[in-house]
Amino acid sequence: MSPHTPPSPHTPIIAIANHKGGCGKTTTAVNLAAELGRAGHSVLLIDMDPQANASLHVGRLHPSEVTADCAALLLGGPELLAEAIHEETALPNVSLIYGSLALGLAEDKLREESPRPAEELAQKLAPALGVYDVILIDCPPSLKLLSSNALAAATHVIIPVESGSQYGLYGVSDLTRHIEKLRRVNPSLRVLGALLIRHDPRLTVCRLIEDAAREQLGSLLPVRIPTSTKISQSVILKQSVHTVDGGSKVARAFEELAAHVAQALSLPRTAAR
Ligand SMILES: Nc1ncnc2c1ncn2[C@@H]1O[C@H](COP(=O)(O)OP(=O)(O)OP(=O)(O)O)[C@@H](O)[C@H]1O
Ligand SMILES: [Mg+2]
């Protein structure tokens, strides 16, 4: 691995990463994308997970129907980028690069064939920089090459942590070590903060996880995402939680998260509201 120069022009790229399964990565990626789009930012959402849950949630097509997907982009030439970006999604101002099962095979092929296996995404995304106001990457639940590609391309990481679970921080030191390792390739990578998911301040377990997350991960985002049945409804309806129930606590929490991210990263607003 060799250090690469920061890409220019600048577009913040936020990887939503944690190898712990089911901690809220996809929910965060989809609803943060939705809220940033609603606020007038143009957003590119990249699904790096073979499970393709983000694509199933917001895509107009079934991932199995899409040939120019994230796997094809990782393995193919830079000319594939334009074809891989699908502008039609369920979310206004949000474009999508689909994930699919093929990402699993792509990961093996990259390991065997690419001279810089962790840097394929960063290289392929270079022409999209300056085109979108922000790029979000939904990572898979592993610390293997797909996540490494996301972290090598990213400027920032958000780490969702399930605060309602006593196992919420299990293995988090492996994640911080992995981020540290990726800094050899991508020295400017910054942790934007941990995001507490399914948080209920009345519960002792949530307060204990909150303190431990602050200690182990350094920074906590100032927004807490509560538990809500609106989340699973929104997945079934293929909508954001805001569209399902804009007045709900969970929808307001994602709106606050987007406002915080937009302000922290000084995101421009180049899309219509
Ligand atoms: N705040 C919440 N309230 C209620 N349910 C939630 C909440 N956040 C996520 N969920 C549910 O928890 C499950 C896991 O969430 P999600 O898919 O976002 O996690 P993930 O980290 O992307 O999982 P994976 O590691 O498999 O990719 C989903 O069924 C989702 O609907
Ligand atoms: Mg997921």
Side-chain angles (χ1 to χ4, degrees), residues 197-233:
I197 307 279
R198 292 178 182 268
H199 189 75
D200 181 343
R202 293 166 303 180
L203 300 181
T204 307
V205 61
C206 291
R207 293 199 304 270
L208 289 171
I209 293 281
E210 177 172 359
D211 291 344
R214 189 177 289 114
E215 199 179 306
Q216 292 182 38
L217 291 163
S219 57
L220 280 186
L221 286 160
V223 179
R224 310 281 181 265
I225 307 297
T227 298
S228 170
T229 54
K230 307 284 174 199
I231 298 279
S232 43
Q233 287 174 33

XYZ file of all heavy atoms in Angstrom, residues 197-233:
292
model
N -27.450 4.019 18.157
C -28.671 3.547 17.490
C -29.514 2.790 18.516
O -28.966 2.074 19.354
C -28.307 2.570 16.343
C -27.289 3.192 15.385
C -29.544 2.063 15.622
C -27.812 4.137 14.355
N -30.837 2.905 18.387
C -31.775 2.274 19.333
C -31.483 2.767 20.747
O -31.472 1.977 21.687
C -31.642 0.745 19.299
C -32.111 0.088 18.013
C -31.859 -1.405 18.158
N -32.222 -2.153 16.995
C -33.411 -2.714 16.805
N -34.366 -2.575 17.705
N -33.644 -3.409 15.717
N -31.226 4.068 20.852
C -30.821 4.621 22.144
C -32.043 5.046 22.959
O -32.939 5.713 22.453
C -29.910 5.835 21.919
C -29.279 6.332 23.178
N -28.235 5.672 23.791
C -29.556 7.411 23.947
C -27.894 6.329 24.884
N -28.679 7.385 25.000
N -32.041 4.658 24.237
C -33.090 5.090 25.160
C -32.400 5.536 26.448
O -31.903 4.696 27.214
C -34.057 3.926 25.445
C -35.181 4.351 26.377
O -35.059 5.411 27.049
O -36.183 3.626 26.441
N -32.323 6.868 26.679
C -31.533 7.356 27.820
C -32.067 6.876 29.174
O -31.366 6.969 30.177
C -31.650 8.887 27.700
C -32.787 9.149 26.778
C -32.945 7.943 25.913
N -33.300 6.325 29.192
C -33.834 5.826 30.478
C -33.228 4.476 30.843
O -33.316 4.031 31.978
C -35.363 5.673 30.387
C -36.088 7.011 30.233
C -37.507 6.789 29.812
N -37.560 6.008 28.565
C -38.669 5.649 27.940
N -39.841 5.978 28.447
N -38.624 4.946 26.808
N -32.628 3.787 29.869
C -32.106 2.440 30.121
C -30.637 2.496 30.528
O -29.828 3.153 29.869
C -32.240 1.561 28.875
C -33.662 1.343 28.345
C -33.632 0.430 27.116
C -34.552 0.747 29.431
N -30.311 1.770 31.616
C -28.936 1.771 32.112
C -27.973 1.252 31.043
O -26.890 1.809 30.848
C -28.837 0.894 33.377
O -29.825 1.361 34.279
C -27.471 0.981 34.016
N -28.383 0.175 30.324
C -27.478 -0.398 29.324
C -27.094 0.666 28.282
O -25.933 0.771 27.876
C -28.080 -1.665 28.656
C -29.377 -1.373 27.932
C -27.090 -2.286 27.665
N -28.057 1.499 27.883
C -27.771 2.535 26.881
C -26.808 3.579 27.439
O -25.899 4.030 26.730
C -29.066 3.212 26.436
S -30.124 2.127 25.458
N -27.002 3.929 28.706
C -26.108 4.951 29.295
C -24.690 4.392 29.441
O -23.706 5.081 29.222
C -26.659 5.439 30.632
C -27.974 6.230 30.474
C -28.255 7.085 31.701
N -28.276 6.302 32.925
C -29.372 5.720 33.434
N -30.547 5.846 32.818
N -29.314 5.034 34.550
N -24.589 3.085 29.810
C -23.262 2.467 29.944
C -22.560 2.390 28.589
O -21.371 2.706 28.460
C -23.390 1.049 30.533
C -23.797 0.985 32.010
C -24.104 -0.452 32.420
C -22.691 1.568 32.896
N -23.318 1.991 27.555
C -22.723 1.900 26.212
C -22.333 3.299 25.725
O -21.293 3.487 25.086
C -23.706 1.220 25.226
C -23.919 -0.244 25.586
C -23.232 1.365 23.780
C -22.832 -1.208 25.158
N -23.153 4.298 26.054
C -22.839 5.679 25.648
C -21.489 6.106 26.238
O -20.623 6.616 25.512
C -23.957 6.619 26.119
C -23.680 8.064 25.794
C -24.866 8.988 26.076
O -25.927 8.503 26.518
O -24.712 10.188 25.862
N -21.284 5.852 27.535
C -20.018 6.251 28.173
C -18.847 5.479 27.572
O -17.796 6.051 27.272
C -20.068 5.975 29.688
C -21.051 6.911 30.375
O -21.431 7.926 29.743
O -21.464 6.613 31.512
N -19.059 4.173 27.371
C -17.960 3.345 26.838
C -17.642 3.742 25.397
O -16.477 3.748 24.993
C -18.344 1.868 26.919
N -18.668 4.085 24.609
C -18.435 4.482 23.206
C -17.637 5.775 23.159
O -16.717 5.925 22.358
C -19.763 4.654 22.473
N -17.986 6.706 24.059
C -17.258 7.990 24.092
C -15.782 7.724 24.402
O -14.888 8.290 23.780
C -17.892 8.905 25.142
C -17.360 10.330 25.093
C -18.038 11.245 26.088
N -19.402 11.562 25.763
C -20.479 11.188 26.474
N -20.322 10.444 27.552
N -21.692 11.543 26.118
N -15.561 6.819 25.362
C -14.189 6.529 25.780
C -13.410 5.793 24.681
O -12.270 6.144 24.369
C -14.254 5.642 27.033
C -12.976 5.626 27.831
C -13.169 4.751 29.056
O -14.142 5.006 29.818
O -12.402 3.805 29.209
N -14.051 4.804 24.062
C -13.310 3.945 23.115
C -13.204 4.538 21.714
O -12.272 4.240 20.982
C -13.974 2.573 23.031
C -13.839 1.784 24.317
C -14.468 0.405 24.189
O -14.385 -0.240 23.156
N -15.123 -0.031 25.251
N -14.194 5.357 21.327
C -14.199 5.861 19.952
C -13.885 7.347 19.872
O -13.832 7.919 18.789
C -15.547 5.562 19.289
C -15.763 4.064 19.031
C -17.214 3.746 18.776
C -14.910 3.602 17.864
N -13.696 7.961 21.011
C -13.275 9.370 21.007
C -14.444 10.320 20.866
O -14.772 11.040 21.788
N -15.096 10.298 19.734
C -16.156 11.292 19.564
C -17.497 10.615 19.306
O -17.587 9.618 18.583
C -15.826 12.205 18.385
O -15.649 11.426 17.231
N -18.521 11.183 19.938
C -19.905 10.733 19.724
C -20.623 11.804 18.937
O -20.487 12.996 19.240
C -20.628 10.602 21.062
C -20.400 9.362 21.903
C -21.331 9.397 23.107
C -20.650 8.108 21.086
N -21.408 11.408 17.952
C -22.232 12.402 17.259
C -23.295 12.907 18.232
O -23.755 12.154 19.105
C -22.857 11.770 16.006
C -21.837 11.581 14.882
C -22.297 10.547 13.876
C -21.544 12.896 14.189
N -23.719 14.168 18.099
C -24.611 14.743 19.100
C -26.074 14.286 18.969
O -26.916 14.753 19.709
C -24.488 16.247 18.825
C -24.105 16.345 17.398
C -23.280 15.144 17.096
N -26.341 13.391 18.043
C -27.719 12.932 17.811
C -27.826 11.476 18.256
O -26.894 10.704 18.058
C -28.057 13.038 16.299
C -29.465 12.538 16.019
C -27.868 14.466 15.808
N -28.950 11.105 18.863
C -29.204 9.711 19.251
C -30.391 9.207 18.432
O -31.400 9.914 18.313
C -29.574 9.609 20.746
C -28.616 10.342 21.688
C -27.359 9.536 21.917
N -26.447 10.195 22.836
C -25.425 10.969 22.457
N -25.196 11.202 21.194
N -24.614 11.501 23.361
N -30.281 7.991 17.883
C -31.390 7.445 17.101
C -32.214 6.509 18.001
O -31.691 5.507 18.497
C -30.865 6.649 15.869
C -29.883 7.500 15.034
C -32.040 6.154 15.036
C -30.448 8.752 14.391
N -33.487 6.847 18.239
C -34.291 5.990 19.115
C -34.765 4.719 18.401
O -34.707 4.638 17.171
C -35.502 6.877 19.448
C -35.626 7.797 18.271
C -34.236 8.009 17.739
N -35.230 3.745 19.178
C -35.859 2.555 18.591
C -37.227 2.951 18.063
O -37.955 3.709 18.715
C -36.016 1.460 19.665
O -34.714 1.100 20.111
C -36.725 0.232 19.115
N -37.571 2.454 16.877
C -38.891 2.789 16.334
C -39.349 1.734 15.337
O -38.557 1.268 14.512
C -38.838 4.157 15.643
O -40.027 4.375 14.931
N -40.622 1.402 15.400
C -41.188 0.460 14.424
C -41.307 1.116 13.043
O -41.497 0.427 12.049
C -42.591 0.001 14.856
O -43.376 1.182 15.075
C -42.557 -0.831 16.123
N -41.172 2.451 13.003
C -41.243 3.154 11.700
C -40.094 2.719 10.791
O -40.188 2.833 9.576
C -41.140 4.680 11.878
C -42.115 5.280 12.844
C -43.482 5.385 12.265
C -44.444 5.867 13.332
N -45.831 5.596 13.044
N -38.986 2.260 11.402
C -37.827 1.863 10.590
C -38.196 0.668 9.709
O -37.994 0.696 8.493
C -36.616 1.512 11.498
C -36.165 2.727 12.312
C -35.477 0.913 10.680
C -35.290 3.702 11.587
N -38.753 -0.384 10.320
C -39.077 -1.554 9.486
C -40.216 -1.223 8.524
O -40.227 -1.704 7.383
C -39.376 -2.787 10.342
O -40.183 -2.440 11.409
N -41.164 -0.374 8.931
C -42.226 0.049 7.988
C -41.609 0.733 6.770
O -42.010 0.499 5.630
C -43.183 1.031 8.659
C -44.127 0.399 9.671
C -44.942 1.472 10.396
O -45.279 2.505 9.832
N -45.243 1.220 11.654
